[in-house]
Amino acid sequence: MKMRFLALCTALAAATALTGCSLLGGSDGGPEEVTLWLMKGSASDEFIDQFTAAFEKEHPGIDLKVEIQEWTGIGEKVNAVLDGTGKDSADVIEVGNTQVAQYVETGGLSELTLEGLRKWGSKDWLKGLADPGSVNGAQYGVPWYAANRVVIYNKDLFAAAGIKNLPRNRQEWIQATQKLDKGDQQGIYLAGQNWYVLAGFIWDEGGELAVETGGQWVGTLDDEKALAGMEFYKQLQALGDGPKAADEETPPQSGVFARGQVAQIVAPPGQAAEIEAANPALKGRLGFFPIPGKTSDKAGAVFTGGSDLIIPERTGRRSAAVDVITALVSEKWQTELARTMSYVPNKTTLAHVVQGNEGATNMAPGAAQGRATPKSARWAEVEAENPIKPFMTAVLTGQDPRQAARTASDSISKVLSSDR
């Protein structure tokens, strides 16, 4: 999406005392265009229209223009903007939170550390959005919204099993799932290669997927803490019939759940709509709860997906671009976006704004414990090869966990530390 900024303020005598006007303007005194790219599906058309109209009204010297981008091939398009080789231009760009590091390495991002501190309340940002946007202590990506996994459950199956209180810690979760796993009914459907869920269990144990030491990244799945996270995954996965050598999309887990004989899945709450569309009889029969942590006082860690906002260094309208971000991350528009799209707002202090939306409300506790993948610009290459998946399958099929973890860790290290 694009936002065009139009300069209205003219040089007036001091006695006129006009305040709050933007000094932006085209070289001919006409409209100043500022382009904002938003990704397809991130915001509804209604939200975009309302935001644009309100922004232009509050900034009479700015005209806002918006462009929607597809996720497929977006990396190449963003890099072309950053290095000035493309035919398109943009002044504010929405990117995936875990993509920021690779754009920083490519070069061409404007640092936004001071604006974060002074204007945008960065001390309250969700860690899973803010951390990937920060490189070497400098902030380049501004958290916009978050989404993470929760447990979606079948209320009827929970009631039939006599489960009145939803589990709040791992032990209660295992006990409840054992009650639910009987006959043709699965206590939980957890595919063997759902590595995003595994990552949360590893983080709960204090482990990591990879760490940077001495300027080199190394895989750490063979660490004892990471192995403990995998052991819990194995224990939980055994309480259902999820395939050990496939991920959650093979087949799509929402379709499996929709058959009515699965008590739980771990998924973004938006999958509830897919389940209900596949089986309308389940409408109103689905519930949500945060992924339980090791203790009842804190929800389990989760991989935080979502988006950050960046400003290309090449923009000639940086001040106006900052104004756009200031509006997008304001409480008013964070509230509107979260309620419209069932997202988690970008700050822990705004978690209350999604009260009444059961899916988003149950995402918020996990989002407060949210994490992101390692901040290496090469992590996307790790995911493309993804040695984590065969490691998980090896453990679930009875192979030696340590040996499988060492093999996976070596693969991760090789990708992250190799020269381009």
Side-chain angles (χ1 to χ4, degrees), residues 18 98 112 118 211 216 293 308 328 334 372 403:
L18 261 185
T98 61
L112 300 167
R118 295 171 178 173
V211 297
Q216 292 288 315
D308 283 9
L328 285 170
Q334 281 287 294
Q403 181 58 50

mmCIF file of all heavy atoms in Angstrom, residues 18 98 112 118 211 216 293 308 328 334 372 403:
data_model
loop_
_atom_site.group_PDB
_atom_site.id
_atom_site.type_symbol
_atom_site.label_atom_id
_atom_site.label_comp_id
_atom_site.label_asym_id
_atom_site.label_seq_id
_atom_site.Cartn_x
_atom_site.Cartn_y
_atom_site.Cartn_z
ATOM 1 N N LEU A 18 0.973 29.641 13.039
ATOM 2 C CA LEU A 18 0.446 28.317 12.677
ATOM 3 C C LEU A 18 1.317 27.261 13.324
ATOM 4 O O LEU A 18 2.529 27.317 13.222
ATOM 5 C CB LEU A 18 0.489 28.134 11.157
ATOM 6 C CG LEU A 18 -0.799 28.371 10.384
ATOM 7 C CD1 LEU A 18 -0.562 28.006 8.927
ATOM 8 C CD2 LEU A 18 -1.940 27.558 10.942
ATOM 9 N N THR A 98 10.834 -11.852 11.251
ATOM 10 C CA THR A 98 12.101 -12.581 11.169
ATOM 11 C C THR A 98 12.884 -12.250 9.899
ATOM 12 O O THR A 98 13.974 -12.788 9.694
ATOM 13 C CB THR A 98 11.860 -14.098 11.227
ATOM 14 O OG1 THR A 98 11.040 -14.495 10.118
ATOM 15 C CG2 THR A 98 11.175 -14.489 12.532
ATOM 16 N N LEU A 112 15.912 3.244 13.585
ATOM 17 C CA LEU A 112 14.753 3.865 14.225
ATOM 18 C C LEU A 112 14.805 3.750 15.746
ATOM 19 O O LEU A 112 13.782 3.809 16.415
ATOM 20 C CB LEU A 112 13.467 3.210 13.690
ATOM 21 C CG LEU A 112 13.263 3.346 12.173
ATOM 22 C CD1 LEU A 112 12.157 2.413 11.701
ATOM 23 C CD2 LEU A 112 12.941 4.790 11.797
ATOM 24 N N ARG A 118 11.481 7.459 21.947
ATOM 25 C CA ARG A 118 10.822 8.746 22.193
ATOM 26 C C ARG A 118 9.348 8.785 21.805
ATOM 27 O O ARG A 118 8.543 9.456 22.435
ATOM 28 C CB ARG A 118 11.556 9.851 21.420
ATOM 29 C CG ARG A 118 12.981 10.099 21.897
ATOM 30 C CD ARG A 118 13.709 11.037 20.937
ATOM 31 N NE ARG A 118 15.063 11.336 21.396
ATOM 32 C CZ ARG A 118 15.952 12.011 20.672
ATOM 33 N NH1 ARG A 118 15.610 12.454 19.466
ATOM 34 N NH2 ARG A 118 17.158 12.239 21.154
ATOM 35 N N VAL A 211 22.908 -20.337 18.685
ATOM 36 C CA VAL A 211 23.441 -19.177 19.407
ATOM 37 C C VAL A 211 24.658 -18.644 18.656
ATOM 38 O O VAL A 211 25.316 -19.370 17.901
ATOM 39 C CB VAL A 211 23.842 -19.522 20.861
ATOM 40 C CG1 VAL A 211 22.635 -19.961 21.661
ATOM 41 C CG2 VAL A 211 24.922 -20.593 20.887
ATOM 42 N N GLN A 216 30.355 -16.324 15.331
ATOM 43 C CA GLN A 216 29.902 -17.476 14.555
ATOM 44 C C GLN A 216 28.627 -18.049 15.160
ATOM 45 O O GLN A 216 28.492 -18.131 16.384
ATOM 46 C CB GLN A 216 30.980 -18.576 14.525
ATOM 47 C CG GLN A 216 32.228 -18.207 13.742
ATOM 48 C CD GLN A 216 31.992 -18.195 12.245
ATOM 49 O OE1 GLN A 216 31.374 -19.101 11.702
ATOM 50 N NE2 GLN A 216 32.483 -17.168 11.562
ATOM 51 N N GLY A 293 2.632 -23.545 30.269
ATOM 52 C CA GLY A 293 4.054 -23.499 30.567
ATOM 53 C C GLY A 293 4.441 -24.577 31.562
ATOM 54 O O GLY A 293 3.623 -25.418 31.947
ATOM 55 N N ASP A 308 6.829 -6.375 11.214
ATOM 56 C CA ASP A 308 7.482 -5.141 11.611
ATOM 57 C C ASP A 308 7.358 -4.144 10.466
ATOM 58 O O ASP A 308 7.100 -4.521 9.321
ATOM 59 C CB ASP A 308 8.968 -5.374 11.908
ATOM 60 C CG ASP A 308 9.211 -6.021 13.261
ATOM 61 O OD1 ASP A 308 8.237 -6.445 13.908
ATOM 62 O OD2 ASP A 308 10.379 -6.126 13.671
ATOM 63 N N LEU A 328 0.255 4.194 12.822
ATOM 64 C CA LEU A 328 -0.036 2.752 12.762
ATOM 65 C C LEU A 328 0.177 2.048 14.097
ATOM 66 O O LEU A 328 -0.496 1.071 14.411
ATOM 67 C CB LEU A 328 0.830 2.094 11.687
ATOM 68 C CG LEU A 328 0.411 2.338 10.231
ATOM 69 C CD1 LEU A 328 1.485 1.832 9.283
ATOM 70 C CD2 LEU A 328 -0.928 1.665 9.926
ATOM 71 N N GLN A 334 -3.790 0.396 16.811
ATOM 72 C CA GLN A 334 -3.443 -0.945 17.275
ATOM 73 C C GLN A 334 -4.694 -1.671 17.766
ATOM 74 O O GLN A 334 -4.889 -2.858 17.493
ATOM 75 C CB GLN A 334 -2.412 -0.859 18.406
ATOM 76 C CG GLN A 334 -1.000 -0.618 17.946
ATOM 77 C CD GLN A 334 -0.393 -1.852 17.298
ATOM 78 O OE1 GLN A 334 -0.172 -2.868 17.952
ATOM 79 N NE2 GLN A 334 -0.121 -1.768 16.008
ATOM 80 N N ALA A 372 11.367 -15.286 18.813
ATOM 81 C CA ALA A 372 11.509 -15.404 17.368
ATOM 82 C C ALA A 372 12.703 -16.289 17.070
ATOM 83 O O ALA A 372 13.466 -16.661 17.974
ATOM 84 C CB ALA A 372 11.693 -14.027 16.727
ATOM 85 N N GLN A 403 22.428 -38.200 19.142
ATOM 86 C CA GLN A 403 23.072 -38.315 17.840
ATOM 87 C C GLN A 403 22.282 -37.551 16.774
ATOM 88 O O GLN A 403 22.850 -36.839 15.944
ATOM 89 C CB GLN A 403 23.195 -39.796 17.435
ATOM 90 C CG GLN A 403 23.875 -40.011 16.085
ATOM 91 C CD GLN A 403 25.265 -39.411 16.037
ATOM 92 O OE1 GLN A 403 26.081 -39.644 16.936
ATOM 93 N NE2 GLN A 403 25.531 -38.600 15.013
#
